[in-house]
Structures are given as structure tokens and as C-alpha cells.
Amino acid sequence: MLPVIMGPPILQLPLETFQFALCFADPFDVSSTSQTCKALRDAIYGPEGTFIWRSLFLQKWDDPRLRIHLNTTRGWHSGTKAELDMVLNAIEFDWKAELRKRLRAFKMLHGNPRVPCKDRKEVIKTLLSVIYTSTPAFTMPELEIKSKNAIWLKEAIDSARMLNNHSWPRFRHPELYSSEELPDLEECELRSEMHTYFSL
């Protein structure tokens, strides 16, 4: 018999049914739901909640485990989709942490561009990680792969205030910015790498 979530009548659902429903919600709504009571928090952030975060992640981005696998096989997988799924399921990945990181980066990109250098660097590193974990353009038996990462990156970069050179302290009156806002050498190097990929 499947476990149930104890609480109000509306929550008297099998745990798997409740978690499946959350997989179609916005990640921010899922996070808000977890704050309503301990039963929901345990269902969402507990060990079995990994299913929710993985589903939410894969709705927007490529499966990073595929890139991890291909990096160890020199970019080639000769088996079937079922065999590939078995390989991917054996790879550990922190879905919740990475999802939070990418959502935070998206929010900061379109928010106030005047943020500390360390925050801008984290955003750029996150964007680069999306590139590094993108699904390569290739096909295999029973499987045609298209990258969701490329679509998300375009959406994230379009009209991103933080990436506008006019709002970057180095190019616009650096004397008006605090020492924490001014870019350091690492940020300059990260931006150069990002420009190479994004042609900014």
C-alpha cells in the first residue's frame, strides 16, 4: 500500500500522486507549497522529493547526466535508449541545487544590474555550466536529441540587463560604483569566455 501524506483531507492522497501533480507546477510555486505545513515540506524536500525536482529541471533543461556520460565515452553511445537510461540513472546529480542556481541566475540577469562582482561571477558561471551540460546535436537509434539548453539560454540572454555593457561598471563611470561592484580579473576572464560562446 502506498504511503499517504497526513494532514487536511485535500492532502489525503498517495504520495506519488501528490508529487506527480507538483511536477507540472512552477518551481517557485512548489517552493511556496512546501512552506504551508511540515507534511508538504517533507514530501517536497525529503528523500523521495528528488523525483519532483528532477522532473521540474528536465522540463526546462537538457539532462546533464547525458553530457557527463558522453564525456567519459568520448562523445559516443552505441547502445539503445533503454541501455542509455540505465546508464544515466546510475549517475548522481543534485537536481534541486542546480535548478535553484539557474532560476536565481535568470532572475538576476533581468533584475537590477548593480550587484556585487561576486554575484555577477556566479551568474556567468551558471550560464557557462548550462553550455557545458548542453545535449550535443546528434541522433542515435530510437532517440533524436534536441537541446533545451540553447532555447533557455536565448531566453535568458535576451534583454538581460546585467549583460549590457552600458550597465557594467568597467564601461560606465566606474567612480560611481562601490568597490564590491567593480569587476575583478576573474570576472573579466569569465565575461570573455561567455562572449566567445554567446557572441555578445
Side-chain angles (χ1 to χ4, degrees):
M1 185 174 182
L2 293 175
V4 297
I5 303 171
M6 302 306 295
I10 194 173
L11 301 181
Q12 300 304 311
L13 296 170
L15 179 57
E16 292 181 358
T17 301
F18 173 74
Q19 291 177 327
F20 181 75
L22 287 181
C23 292
F24 297 94
D26 184 275
F28 292 109
D29 294 333
V30 174
S31 181
S32 297
T33 301
S34 71
Q35 300 175 32
T36 58
C37 68
K38 184 178 184 302
L40 293 183
R41 181 173 182 81
D42 291 343
I44 293 172
Y45 288 111
E48 296 184 6
T50 301
F51 168 76
I52 301 173
W53 299 107
R54 181 180 64 211
S55 298
L56 292 173
F57 185 98
L58 294 178
Q59 286 180 23
K60 279 185 172 291
W61 297 284
D62 302 332
D63 190 335
R65 299 171 303 174
L66 178 59
R67 170 54 66 183
I68 295 172
H69 169 58
L70 294 177
N71 285 345
T72 62
T73 59
R74 299 184 179 180
W76 178 253
H77 179 83
S78 58
T80 64
K81 183 179 183 303
E83 292 171 334
L84 177 60
D85 288 339
M86 291 181 61
V87 172
L88 298 186
N89 288 333
I91 298 175
E92 294 185 3
F93 187 78
D94 193 337
W95 305 99
K96 180 175 61 179
E98 189 62 28
L99 184 144
R100 283 179 165 180
K101 187 185 300 183
R102 295 185 182 190
L103 291 179
R104 180 175 183 271
F106 187 92
K107 185 176 181 180
M108 292 186 66
L109 280 169
H110 296 85
N112 184 357
R114 293 196 59 168
V115 297
C117 170
K118 63 181 181 62
D119 290 336
R120 290 196 304 270
K121 289 191 292 187
E122 286 305 311
V123 170
I124 298 173
K125 289 177 182 178
T126 299
L127 294 177
L128 291 173
S129 75
V130 176
I131 293 178
Y132 302 151
T133 57
S134 295
T135 297
F138 80 105
T139 58
M140 57 180 290
E142 306 178 34
L143 183 64
E144 181 178 356
I145 301 176
K146 297 181 180 178
S147 177
K148 299 176 187 176
N149 286 19
I151 298 174
W152 183 85
L153 283 167
K154 183 179 186 305
E155 181 182 352
I157 293 172
D158 284 350
S159 303
R161 300 176 65 190
M162 183 183 293
L163 300 183
N164 187 332
N165 281 339
H166 293 295
S167 66
W168 197 35
R170 180 179 179 181
F171 295 109
R172 188 176 185 181
H173 307 297
E175 68 276 5
L176 300 179
Y177 295 83
S178 68
S179 59
E180 290 186 347
E181 292 178 290
L182 292 175
D184 58 15
L185 178 59
E186 183 186 12
E187 181 180 0
C188 294
E189 293 174 346
L190 287 170
R191 288 182 71 97
S192 296
E193 182 177 0
M194 183 178 63
H195 289 178
T196 301
Y197 284 115
F198 299 156
S199 299
L200 294 178

